[in-house]
Amino acid sequence: MLLGIMGAMPEEMDKIIAAIHNKKIVESGSRVYYRGELYGQEVVAVFSRWGKVAAATTATNMILNFKVDRIIFTGVAGAVSPELNVGDIVVGQRLFQHDMDARPLMQRFEIPLTGKASFETSKENVDILSLAVSNFLENNKEFLQLLSGQGIAHPKMLAGDIASGDLFISSSKMKHALVKNLPSVLCVEMEGAAVAQVCDDYGVPLTVVRVISDTADEKAHITAIGFVNQHAGDYSLSILKEYISLIHNS
Ligand code: ADE
């Protein structure tokens, strides 16, 4: 089984890439892919760049050229649910493209010619990833203590809907407009639903895990950059470690 690991920013991927053994580096389509073993699991890892198109072309390359059997997307997101704080973790269930709007030809958010307004990750994948995140929160007391010293106390996990779009949500006005139209959405990012569409086209299972880096408001850019620089890599690698140990034993 070959696991594809994607993240949109170098800071989200650097620690994962550094932990891969017997690395082979392949450059293709303006991306650098790292093939090797992570915690005993065959993987190919890549930093996809930001946005739906970059993520979709990278996922397609992962599937067609590297022949990955499943993909996990890891990275940060802005919270739109008031239940979420910086440092909390979201496991994606349904993935919406919040900037898709072909009205009046189609219903708002409908992905043309799919009859769907969202792509759903399987319950089994959501359950495995949720367990991996719970194990991460259980097994990393030292890291949690460090976070607590920096104002991130008791991070929690929620499984739920994620919205992706080619927009960095950086004002309360933008956030509220999005929530008004997609009230079930917990957080926003710029890639997950694009990768979900590619995975749906090719029948490749996908899981998406997002750590909250900001609350998608006027301070989002400052909070997000600070969080990404300090913590995103540690979260991603530690969650991946737990996830791999579970898929190995399943
Ligand atoms: N990724 C992290 N924070 C985000 C935000 N506020 N909007 C879109 N993508 C994000």
Side-chain angles (χ1 to χ4, degrees):
M1 197 278 282
L2 179 62
L3 173 66
I5 305 171
M6 295 179 64
M9 298 170 82
E11 297 84 348
E12 294 165 342
M13 292 304 293
D14 281 352
K15 291 200 171 167
I16 293 171
I17 289 163
I20 297 176
H21 289 281
N22 303 324
K23 255 193 296 262
K24 272 203 206 114
I25 298 175
V26 181
E27 290 193 39
S28 171
S30 303
R31 304 289 183 278
V32 184
Y33 295 82
Y34 299 85
R35 179 94 161 76
E37 280 159 43
L38 182 65
Y39 305 120
Q41 169 66 50
E42 284 292 315
V43 300
V44 52
V46 64
F47 138 57
S48 68
R49 302 185 182 174
W50 295 18
K52 297 200 330 272
V53 174
T57 59
T58 309
T60 307
N61 203 354
M62 282 270 211
I63 294 168
L64 293 184
N65 291 333
F66 291 90
K67 314 250 180 266
V68 294
D69 296 293
R70 54 168 98 175
I71 293 180
I72 180 163
F73 199 105
T74 170
V76 295
V80 298
S81 160
E83 274 184 66
L84 286 166
N85 301 307
V86 169
D88 289 345
I89 301 162
V90 174
V91 172
Q93 282 177 333
R94 290 182 302 171
L95 293 128
F96 291 87
Q97 295 179 17
H98 67 74
D99 52 358
M100 176 57 76
D101 189 351
R103 288 176 300 172
L105 299 173
M106 290 174 195
Q107 300 231 331
R108 190 161 189 188
F109 305 119
E110 184 176 334
I111 309 298
L113 308 182
T114 65
K116 295 178 187 178
S118 67
F119 296 98
E120 199 157 353
T121 54
S122 77
K123 183 180 174 325
E124 188 200 347
N125 282 333
V126 169
D127 288 347
I128 294 176
L129 189 55
S130 300
L131 184 57
V133 173
S134 301
N135 291 347
F136 156 71
L137 292 172
E138 198 51 43
N139 296 338
N140 288 271
K141 299 288 180 223
E142 232 173 81
F143 178 54
L144 294 186
Q145 216 160 2
L146 181 131
L147 289 176
S148 170
Q150 298 182 7
I152 300 173
H154 312 298
K156 64 179 176 296
M157 184 215 45
L158 294 181
D161 295 345
I162 295 178
S164 314
D166 288 324
L167 281 176
F168 185 79
I169 305 294
S170 57
S171 72
S172 305
K173 198 173 162 208
M174 287 167 88
K175 174 160 79 167
H176 292 137
L178 193 145
V179 174
K180 189 168 163 253
N181 295 317
L182 290 170
S184 68
V185 162
L186 298 177
C187 66
V188 282
E189 35 85 315
M190 300 175 70
E191 298 83 19
V195 176
Q197 184 172 352
V198 172
C199 285
D200 188 76
D201 282 347
Y202 288 99
V204 171
L206 171 72
T207 45
V208 178
V209 61
R210 292 286 187 174
V211 184
I212 300 303
S213 60
D214 58 85
T215 44
D217 53 17
E218 284 70 8
K219 291 196 190 116
H221 57 301
I222 298 167
T223 327
I225 293 299
F227 185 88
V228 164
N229 287 335
Q230 282 186 289
H231 304 305
D234 288 317
Y235 267 94
S236 288
L237 181 61
S238 308
I239 293 170
L240 245 286
K241 185 177 179 186
E242 300 292 347
Y243 177 72
I244 286 171
S245 103
L246 289 176
I247 57 174
H248 259 171
N249 295 324
S250 66

